[in-house]
Amino acid sequence: MKKTFLLLILSVFYCIVYAQNHTISGYITDSKSGEKLINAAIYDANTMQGTISNEYGFYSLTLSETKIRLMISYVGYKTIEKEIELKENIELNFKMSSTIELSEVTIVGKSNESPIKSTQIGVVEVPLQKIKNLPVLLGEKDIIKTIQLLPGVQSGSEGTSGLYVRGGGPDQNLILLDGVPVYNAEHLFGFFSVFNPDAIKNVTLIKGGYPARYGGRLSSVLDIRMKEGNNQELGGEFSIGLIASKFTLEGPIKKDKTSFIISARRTYIDALIMPFVKMAAAANDTKTSAGYYFYDVNVKLNHKFSDKSHLYFSSYLGDDRLYVKTSYDYLENDVLYEDAMKMKTGWGNITSALRWNYKINEKLFSNSTLTYSRYNFYVGDEFAYSATENNITTTNETSIIYDSGINDLGGKIDFNYLPNPNHYIRFGLGNTYHTFNPGITYLKYMSEFESEIGNDPIKANEMYAYIEDDIKVTSQLKGNIGTHLSGFYVNDKFYKSIQPRISARYMFNEDWAIKAAFTKMDQYIHLLTSSKISMPTDLWLPVTDKIYPQTAYQYAIGTFHNIKNKLDLSVEAFYKTMSNLLEYKEGSGLFSQSTGWEEKIELGKGWAYGAEVLLQKNVGRTTGWIGYTLSWSQRKFENLNFGETFPYRYDRRHDISIAVTHKIDDDVDVGIVWVYGTGNAVSLAVERYMGYEYSDALKDPYYYEYYYNDIEYYKARNDFRMPAYHRLDVGINFHKEIRKGHRTFSVGIYNVYNRKNPFFLNFETDNYGKRVLAQYSLFPFIPSLYYSLKFGKKSEEVNFE
Amino acid sequence: MLKIKYIIIIILVAGTFSCKKIIDYKIPDNGRKLVLNSFISTNDSINVNISKSLHILDNGNYELISDAVVNLFEDGVFIETLKHNGYGNYNSTLNFTPKEGKTYKIEAWNDELEKVTASETIPHKIKINSIDTAQVVFASTDDFFGSDEEQEVYEFKINFQDNADEKNYYMIKFKTAYVYEYNGDSIYDIYDAGYIMYNDVIIERYLSYQNAVIFSDDLFDGETLSLSLYMNKYNFYSENTPVIIELYSISESYYKYSISLDQQQEIDGNPFAEPVQVYNNIEKGYGIFAGYTVDKDTLYIDGVEQYYGID
């Protein structure tokens, strides 16, 4: 470790001493919206030295030559070429115009930093346009569902949006929205994810070879960046789907200086079912309303003080609500009695980030951020009984509220230092103050009685520092070396870890590279889940003196090819070990998670290995990818399954996904998704036998003949497989230019051939009294409609050369 | 919390389930096994129940075995062959009663089923030192949809000394008796007193099907414990109602079996829960061979006269 440090420090000095050159720096933005472009490639075409723009569109390139042929390229944008005489440090901001995947001729330049060139392995930039064009369940565009189509990433149960990356669990994903962790990225038990694609600019998934700047979770990083808002002109989008509507409005508050974006979405299942609920209630002489909805709002403001200094504020707010209100009244002996009950259940996230970008000089860029993240689950019940006699009403009211969740307050500072084209150094540090609330019940009875029962909140500090350098050793060999240091302080206990992160790339030629990576990751928070499906009641809890941090080591190797500038093919293999994974003891914790939870869990090991193939086509009329994953994921716990190794529930031997869109003409495109996965592992009973609860039961002949228990015998955990999962979705999008904008009308079909995919299996007795194994499925053939209207920017996106 | 989760599951299931399909799925069949169930204590003569397992997809009823050979050993010494007494039940012809601290072994087989064996040691009896009662008022908190009123409850403070030399497991049950006159005799009908409330962390689990609390000496090894348990006043019907408090000293097998069985029963029908493997100490077969001893104490308390019920 020390050597790595030394090497880094030396190389930094070396660069500083050597830096007798001149620097070009600036920002790369979209010409129409002013949005910063992330990962655009900037290079000198003469020497092929270059760099990429960072998360805030900033680039810096230090060169020794004076005659520069500067090229700026970015997928879906026209490549800019500019001759420069470099005699002093200069600032150059570029505005790129988009061409959006039209015909093969438009995209000449290579993609941004093509997968071949970057040092990173296991990284996928998720094309947002694909998210919008591919068919999805109920037509509700969803980032996470699209990510599930990538190799190495698995979905959990049917239709849900949990991510299982390279054999890891859904709690091991660091989901960052503008750099702020989101704890529960799911609406409605995971059938929808919380991210509204209309407000999102860029999505990057890292499943191995994590750069040192990320830390805190074992299995993946999902870095989602929100749009900044068009700083040129007002525009927006409005859409109606089967279950939800949404709108987005963005525009300049002061042109070129300040802009905003606001995007909101709400479901209307509750409004649709309300009449039925009312009718049912009326039949029972009660007044009832009940329903479920979720909404989310994304807001971002950004202000440019100067080319040196930018301020951003972004916030996400989302909630799921389930409510039932009933009341019943009756007259008895001239007294009017009224009984009323209100039940509310809700869960949601708030995340906020206040960020200040400051360019210290041409080579050093800083980013300071304050973050806030909160996840909260609550149940509230109110009961009121009133009696009215002679216009005098007496009321009895009781309320019970249960509340649990997690609260984070953090600050961090990151620096990008680009001394010359051979180094891209990032370093920084941060601290997060966590408040875990494992569940508190508040009781109130009129004004007479109030009490609080539950666990005290647990407070903890999580801190980290990192340094990484993307080093170009030769034009073929490039590496990313770094280390992430982290610590966690809770209840007078301090855990610390040093996590080396190394990845390297060797390029044989422009079209072929091999890469390898080794990383260590540590995770200080655990998610307690008690069920096979994700529940809003799942609790985030910190490590304690008995529950240790989770650790993972991952080794990855891969080969990356570019085939005739049209196709990208990658094959990656990985091996990952995980320790201190958490599982509930058998049978515990099902309904009583919060008290004494440390006693109810087991710590164990896990490992996963496999290979992933991704064939991607990003140019032409037909674009998309085919992914295949072959993998194994296993667990071993001393006290589960008699200490024997067992397959992880989502151990999936084969996983295939095909996601393709084809442009028929300028107005019509079709999207096709086909997925196949080996069935989930499941524990099934093989025999059953008579059992008795206690001695008295055996004393009474009548009792033991009739009142025995049916005990089911399970041989081993997860030793059976459900039938395989496969499904085809098809969608057609019709685009049209209208007077003030651009409208898209989409028709989609989920599960076209109506495959009955297994959701769970259950032994039961059929109508003829025969015992059978029944399979329950969730989503059959489901058609959907979707209409969206983009207004403001007269769609210059559809712009022919 | 309990019901909220169920409600969520029900809404989820009801809202989205579209279909069920019977699938033809091969569950391996490795033949049937002998099932032996026996709880042995120093209070009763020995009794063993023998039946036969079923394949998970078998339609039939359980078969109680009447032709098994069931041999009993005490500390390795053969005692007797138990005699079938109807309904798959085998009893001692010598009226043999197990003793504290001794280890018993049972073997059983018949022509069809492979021989099974099981052994068990009877734990030492733990005596109740004293029981204090008090009346307290409780705000009910155990359930969101439950009672919204204060409850008048009885507190029973049960005092006993844990044995330091060994690992002990306990179970406590409350029984009450309903007394009535029949042909001039007083008849005592003894039954479970009902739901036991507790707030002590030493309680591992409430066994809902038999109204008992179960726990180990993990947190009070070798100490004298005063454990408070509570019962609602309405569980007792009249003045001077007898309350029989039973302190079971149970074996590790008994403990593991009771908890795992209760857990398997609790998640029965919940497809989202990970199934629980029930503890089994019968070699080459299934079932339980569990030892225990009981100490009882009876007290009389004033219950609440009910409007309905006894006349």
Side-chain angles (χ1 to χ4, degrees), chain A residues 62 72 98 159 173 193 206 236 277 347 354-355 359 431 459 496 504 511 532 534 594 621 733 767 769 785:
Chain A
T62 303
I72 297 100
S98 105
N173 306 311
S193 76
I206 308 173
V277 174
W347 57 95
L354 183 65
R355 170 173 287 120
K359 187 173 121 182
N431 184 67
K459 298 187 179 345
K496 56 185 187 301
D511 297 323
K532 292 184 194 174
S534 99
S594 53
R621 283 183 178 275
N733 303 306
N767 297 338
L785 296 173

Side-chain angles (χ1 to χ4, degrees), chain A residues 188-189 191 322 341 343 345 347 377 379 381 383 385 398 400-402 441 443 445 448-449 453 530-533 535-538 586-591 593 641-642 649 682-696 698-699 701 704-705 708-718 720-723 755-756 759-764 766 769-780, chain B residues 1-2 4-9 11-12 16-28 30-33 35 37-39 44 47 49 51-64 85-89 139-141 143-146 148 150 171 173 175 192 205 209-210 248 254 257-258 261-280 286-288 292:
Chain A
L188 188 62
F189 315 105
F191 291 126
L322 182 67
M341 193 273 285
M343 192 276 282
T345 299
W347 57 95
F377 169 79
V379 182
D381 286 305
F383 305 94
Y385 303 98
T398 312
I400 307 170
I401 295 168
Y402 170 86
T441 306
L443 288 165
Y445 178 68
E448 296 162 16
F449 173 79
I453 303 152
S530 53
S531 183
K532 292 184 194 174
I533 49 171
M535 289 294 233
T537 50
D538 294 350
E586 287 184 344
S588 17
L590 284 165
F591 297 108
Q593 329 186 287
N641 197 38
F642 314 108
R649 188 178 305 134
V682 65
S683 314
L684 289 180
V686 291
E687 276 191 278
R688 59 195 175 104
Y689 61 94
M690 289 169 100
Y692 298 93
E693 268 153 10
Y694 54 105
S695 54
D696 292 358
L698 275 162
K699 283 182 196 156
Y704 61 69
E705 199 181 357
Y708 56 84
N709 292 106
D710 216 359
I711 298 183
E712 294 187 338
Y713 171 71
Y714 295 87
K715 213 166 165 190
R717 197 172 173 121
N718 292 341
F720 287 93
R721 291 286 168 166
M722 290 197 197
R755 160 82 181 171
K756 293 185 175 69
F759 184 53
F760 64 83
L761 306 178
N762 197 31
F763 287 109
E764 32 194 84
D766 70 6
K770 200 172 152 226
R771 280 178 68 89
V772 290
L773 184 61
Q775 170 195 289
Y776 287 80
S777 310
L778 275 186
F779 302 113
Chain B
M1 278 323 299
L2 200 151
I4 285 300
K5 279 210 170 182
Y6 271 127
I7 286 173
I8 291 172
I9 289 174
I11 288 173
L12 170 72
T16 48
F17 266 138
S18 46
C19 86
K20 175 179 123 177
K21 163 178 135 178
I22 307 302
I23 53 171
D24 185 23
Y25 197 96
K26 278 269 171 292
I27 308 273
N30 297 320
R32 302 287 69 78
K33 283 183 179 164
V35 180
N37 282 298
S38 178
F39 295 88
D44 290 306
N47 176 44
N49 185 271
S51 56
K52 186 177 155 185
S53 70
L54 287 173
H55 183 256
I56 194 71
L57 290 174
D58 263 351
N59 295 315
N61 293 324
Y62 290 112
E63 191 184 321
L64 292 161
N85 200 14
Y87 302 105
N89 252 14
S140 169
T141 61
D143 191 342
F144 277 100
F145 295 92
D148 48 282
E150 297 165 344
M171 197 163 79
K173 287 189 192 181
K175 294 195 172 153
D192 279 355
R205 196 172 172 88
Y209 291 89
Q210 47 172 321
Y248 284 67
Y254 196 136
Y257 172 79
S258 297
L261 175 59
D262 201 67
Q263 285 169 340
Q264 191 180 81
Q265 304 291 314
E266 181 184 337
I267 58 165
D268 187 34
N270 178 355
F272 305 113
E274 185 61 44
V276 176
Q277 292 167 327
V278 175
Y279 179 80
N280 172 20
Y286 302 127
I288 189 70
Y292 68 98

Side-chain angles (χ1 to χ4, degrees), chain B residues 196-226:
Chain B
I196 304 169
M197 291 176 270
Y198 60 92
N199 52 18
D200 200 315
V201 292
I202 68 154
I203 303 292
E204 173 67 28
R205 196 172 172 88
Y206 180 76
L207 303 174
S208 46
Y209 291 89
Q210 47 172 321
N211 283 318
V213 288
I214 191 164
F215 51 98
S216 73
D217 66 359
D218 273 349
L219 299 174
F220 62 98
D221 188 30
E223 292 170 25
T224 300
L225 181 75
S226 246

Side-chain angles (χ1 to χ4, degrees), chain A residues 145 148 155-162 164 186 189-191 533 759:
Chain A
K145 296 264 180 72
Q148 289 174 342
S155 53
S157 302
E158 157 114 69
T160 62
S161 55
Y164 298 81
E186 301 179 343
F189 315 105
F191 291 126
I533 49 171
F759 184 53

